[in-house]
Amino acid sequence: MVNIDWKKAAIFAGGVLFGTAGVKVLASKDAKKVYTNCTAAVLRAKESVLETTTKVQENAEDILAEAEAINARRKAEEAAEETEEETESDAETAQTE
């Protein structure tokens, strides 16, 4: 005859019942409402993150443009100073000759 381990059989049956009940709960209208509300919240969060990302990106572009303008001004000022120094040097050279 076959010896049945009733403890294991009871655990298996409990698991089947729990799984079946779990599937029913997950497929219920209330659960669907929860899923829908959670999904809506995630979509709102996504929109918020995208708006923030867009603002940060725009600010970064503005900062980059301003930094490039500053560097262009500095370069122009340095070039003007070099030209001034060369002009003074040429004038001194011409006077000594």
Side-chain angles (χ1 to χ4, degrees):
M1 291 217 189
V2 178
N3 271 342
I4 296 176
D5 188 354
W6 291 106
K7 184 178 178 182
K8 287 183 182 178
I11 291 172
F12 176 76
V16 170
L17 287 173
F18 183 74
T20 302
V23 169
K24 293 241 183 220
V25 168
L26 293 175
S28 71
K29 288 183 182 180
D30 291 334
K32 185 176 178 183
K33 287 180 186 177
V34 170
Y35 304 148
T36 304
N37 287 326
C38 288
T39 302
V42 167
L43 289 174
R44 284 191 304 270
K46 175 186 168 190
E47 288 176 14
S48 176
V49 167
L50 289 176
E51 287 174 7
T52 302
T53 302
T54 301
K55 288 178 185 176
V56 168
Q57 188 175 13
E58 289 171 355
N59 287 338
E61 290 171 356
D62 292 344
I63 290 169
L64 177 63
E66 288 178 30
E68 288 174 344
I70 289 170
N71 285 339
R73 276 195 307 267
R74 281 187 174 180
K75 192 172 184 179
E77 288 172 1
E78 288 174 1
E81 287 176 8
E82 287 178 7
T83 304
E84 224 175 88
E85 289 174 2
E86 288 175 5
T87 304
E88 289 175 2
S89 175
D90 290 344
E92 288 176 6
T93 305
Q95 286 178 356
T96 58
E97 289 179 1

